[in-house]
Amino acid sequence: MKQQKTLLVSRVANLSKETILMHSSLPYTKVILLYAGAKSSEKVKTSSKLSIRTCSNLTVLNREINKIYEEFPEYMILPNFWGDAFSKYAIKMYNKTYGTKIHANIFKEKDVMMKFVWQVWEKNYFRTSHKELVHMQYADIEKSVGKTFIVKPTNASASRCTFKVTDADDFEAVKPKLSRIFDYMVEEYIGGELYSVDIFMDGENMYLLTYAREIAMIELADKKKFSKKFLEKYGEEIDKHFNFILPIAYHIDFSFLSKMEISLLEELRSKLASIEYRGVVHLEYKYDKTEKKIGFLEWGGRYGWYRKTFVKEIYNTDHLRIPYYLLVEKDTSRFAPLKWKIHAFKEQEHNLNFVRVKTNFLETTNYISILKKTWNIFEISFQKFLKDYYKEHFGIKIKKIDFYVKYSKGYNFFPFYKDAATKLDYILELDDENFELFKKKKFKIIEKTFFHDYSSKS
């Protein structure tokens, strides 16, 4: 039997030696890198199976994708795209490869998303324009949605322009903060704690790749976890801009999934199987263990932030190989059946845990200002400072810190709602003992690290 030829099309942000080597070692017959940068005069050495095509804008990107299908008709072509903005190209390519007709808006436009999962979670909601929304009255919305509701753009990332409304005064205060560039979803507020999973669908089966607890700033407010001192200093800004930001997320073992969570996953699996979806999904939902309620929030056709690191380090699997294992080889040996047609990684590294920490800024902040927090900028690295700080203030010993930093040309960081491109995030590697300690002290840690307010006493 003739072996199937395979081609991975991967969009990359850089052509580093690491990127080249990583893609060259993959099991696909050929690999094409769609380079997002400008053409470079520097020659990059690649293997014979790998080629590079420059795609400096979306028009070129679309053209190259179409050309690839014309050039390699005998190949099974599989995509790798990252982020919300480019997930639609992965869906487009899976459609071309498998003859499906899946519309990317079921993962992009929140009202389309809710219509698709309506039978799974019948949430009260409606879509409206900015112009219509600012002329509405709280009492009218309360009748159709409920006393407490969320106002959020139908298509925006990073919780931009998202607000929780509990009464008429709240709603009037929110109106001036709404952006004219968006249409909005108004939906009932779901209580409980925030969880997320990353999955891969093969058209029928669901494979769980990560399971994580995420902490939103609004959860701390709802649970009254903020200290009086912290609220006096940051309360107004948090309520205005940061309520729905997720400062920390950490992985959980799949064995802790409850019956309600697995049932929700099965219902969503069934919906995705009905359209023969192939590819990644990042799913977020709220789970109230006390009230025994669970509710779908939203999903995207991509990995959650930094979840590829979780998959690689905890489950010893390169995310770039997952489509090959499951779609080409149909090799499910890395997974064990959980229930129905749901599977999960069956082996993981022991005594190894990861916490993603996201920080932010109240105003434009130069990176030197952050380094000054070490109190000894010329002798102490920021990494050592953080390790010492966590040990001294929380009793937590950190094994390793990996930073994910991006600043402007002027070496500045901006508040996310002004410029979401800059960031100062990091992932903590912890053993079991210190991971348990982190979870117990997570609320205090958020207070002292989110805005880089390290000077406060424990």
Side-chain angles (χ1 to χ4, degrees):
M1 186 175 178
K2 191 175 181 181
Q3 188 175 6
Q4 172 69 63
K5 293 181 180 180
T6 57
L7 168 60
L8 178 72
V9 179
S10 183
R11 183 176 183 270
V12 296
N14 64 72
L15 292 176
S16 67
K17 184 178 180 181
E18 181 184 9
T19 299
I20 299 297
L21 289 175
M22 177 175 63
H23 284 85
S24 297
S25 65
L26 295 173
Y28 303 92
T29 312
K30 287 185 178 293
V31 176
I32 293 177
L33 301 184
L34 301 180
Y35 176 44
K39 287 185 178 180
S40 173
S41 57
E42 183 181 352
K43 290 188 176 181
V44 181
K45 188 176 181 180
T46 64
S47 70
S48 58
K49 68 185 285 184
L50 187 147
S51 61
I52 299 167
R53 302 190 182 191
T54 302
C55 298
S56 55
N57 59 57
L58 298 183
T59 302
V60 176
L61 178 65
N62 263 310
R63 186 167 65 238
E64 287 298 333
I65 289 173
N66 292 331
K67 279 174 61 179
I68 288 168
Y69 277 91
E70 292 173 3
E71 293 173 23
F72 300 95
E74 74 277 23
Y75 282 71
M76 176 189 284
I77 302 174
L78 299 171
N80 173 58
F81 288 83
W82 36 265
D84 273 321
F86 294 93
S87 60
K88 64 182 179 182
Y89 297 102
I91 293 172
K92 172 184 177 179
M93 292 186 67
Y94 276 119
N95 281 340
K96 278 179 170 286
T97 297
Y98 287 96
T100 49
K101 296 181 180 180
I102 299 166
H103 202 293
N105 277 354
I106 65 170
F107 298 111
K108 296 285 290 178
E109 295 284 343
K110 294 179 175 63
D111 60 319
V112 178
M113 186 186 302
M114 286 310 306
K115 287 175 184 176
F116 182 74
V117 301
W118 179 251
Q119 291 175 319
V120 177
W121 181 250
E122 297 180 2
K123 187 193 302 185
N124 293 322
Y125 75 95
F126 64 85
R127 176 174 179 152
T128 185
S129 67
H130 172 272
K131 184 177 180 180
E132 292 172 333
L133 184 58
V134 295
H135 288 97
M136 289 182 183
Q137 299 300 312
Y138 171 82
D140 296 327
I141 296 176
E142 181 187 5
K143 290 175 185 176
S144 62
V145 175
K147 290 184 177 180
T148 304
F149 54 84
I150 298 294
V151 177
K152 61 184 180 183
T154 56
N155 184 8
S157 58
S159 302
R160 198 175 162 198
C161 293
T162 299
F163 304 96
K164 178 184 176 184
V165 175
T166 58
D167 56 34
D169 289 340
D170 263 0
F171 188 49
E172 292 306 312
V174 160
K175 288 179 180 180
K177 303 171 188 175
L178 301 174
S179 172
R180 297 175 185 273
I181 67 172
F182 297 123
D183 279 353
Y184 282 88
M185 274 270 288
V186 179
E187 61 182 30
E188 64 177 284
Y189 179 68
I190 302 173
E193 296 180 336
L194 180 62
Y195 292 86
S196 65
V197 294
D198 286 70
I199 66 174
F200 190 91
M201 287 288 299
D202 67 358
E204 181 179 8
N205 297 282
M206 175 183 284
Y207 298 89
L208 302 184
L209 309 179
T210 68
Y211 171 42
R213 170 82 164 95
E214 302 190 66
I215 312 292
M217 294 296 276
I218 196 168
E219 181 183 322
L220 280 76
D222 286 349
K223 292 183 175 180
K224 302 188 185 305
K225 294 291 184 179
F226 287 131
S227 67
K228 182 179 178 182
K229 183 179 179 181
F230 184 77
L231 286 174
E232 287 174 351
K233 190 170 185 179
Y234 300 114
E236 185 178 345
E237 280 293 315
I238 289 173
D239 187 55
K240 188 176 181 181
H241 297 296
F242 298 96
N243 261 332
F244 293 90
I245 288 296
L246 308 173
I248 62 173
Y250 52 82
H251 82 94
I252 307 172
D253 189 272
F254 296 119
S255 63
F256 288 99
L257 280 163
S258 68
K259 290 181 180 179
M260 288 191 74
E261 289 172 288
I262 295 173
S263 292
L264 175 67
L265 290 173
E266 169 57 19
E267 290 184 84
L268 293 171
R269 183 208 65 78
S270 181
K271 287 295 295 182
L272 291 169
S274 71
I275 57 172
E276 300 181 50
Y277 180 79
R278 294 170 180 86
V280 182
V281 176
H282 174 71
L283 165 69
E284 296 179 355
Y285 59 91
K286 285 278 195 76
Y287 179 33
D288 190 326
K289 297 176 183 177
T290 304
E291 298 293 327
K292 298 189 182 305
K293 292 181 179 179
I294 195 166
F296 171 92
L297 283 184
E298 57 185 57
W299 61 12
R302 42 82 182 173
Y303 282 94
W305 292 110
Y306 311 120
R307 299 307 164 83
K308 290 178 281 190
T309 300
F310 288 17
V311 172
K312 176 70 173 177
E313 300 296 333
I314 299 172
Y315 303 108
N316 293 309
T317 303
D318 182 351
H319 77 282
L320 291 170
R321 294 172 183 261
I322 290 175
Y324 190 87
Y325 295 147
L326 297 178
L327 299 178
V328 180
E329 293 186 327
K330 303 190 185 304
D331 175 9
T332 62
S333 61
R334 290 163 183 79
F335 299 88
L338 198 60
K339 194 171 183 180
W340 296 302
K341 294 183 178 181
I342 302 174
H343 312 260
F345 278 121
K346 63 183 179 183
E347 294 180 2
Q348 70 175 66
E349 289 291 332
H350 296 290
N351 202 30
L352 179 66
N353 305 277
F354 291 96
V355 181
R356 189 271 297 149
V357 179
K358 184 174 186 61
T359 73
N360 222 285
F361 307 89
L362 295 177
E363 57 189 9
T364 301
T365 304
N366 191 269
Y367 85 115
I368 291 295
S369 299
I370 300 299
L371 296 180
K372 284 180 180 178
K373 302 283 185 177
T374 66
W375 304 304
N376 197 341
I377 189 172
F378 296 108
E379 296 183 19
I380 299 177
S381 70
F382 190 60
Q383 179 167 166
K384 184 179 186 307
F385 164 73
L386 280 180
K387 284 186 174 182
D388 292 345
Y389 188 85
Y390 272 85
K391 181 64 177 174
E392 178 185 349
H393 289 261
F394 311 116
I396 296 171
K397 186 176 181 180
I398 298 170
K399 293 170 66 175
K400 182 183 176 185
I401 304 178
D402 286 321
F403 287 93
Y404 298 83
V405 180
K406 187 174 182 180
Y407 40 73
S408 70
K409 290 182 179 179
Y411 302 98
N412 290 318
F413 300 102
F414 303 105
F416 86 96
Y417 56 90
K418 291 185 178 179
D419 186 343
T422 65
K423 63 182 176 181
L424 201 172
D425 303 343
Y426 52 89
I427 293 180
L428 304 178
E429 183 179 321
L430 304 167
D431 62 21
D432 289 348
E433 180 182 353
N434 285 282
F435 183 49
E436 291 303 315
L437 196 55
F438 183 97
K439 288 188 286 185
K440 289 178 182 178
K441 299 188 175 185
K442 57 183 176 288
F443 299 119
K444 289 183 179 179
I445 291 170
I446 290 171
E447 273 203 8
K448 295 188 177 183
T449 61
F450 184 67
F451 290 118
H452 301 277
D453 191 14
Y454 306 110
S455 60
S456 56
K457 302 294 181 183
S458 46

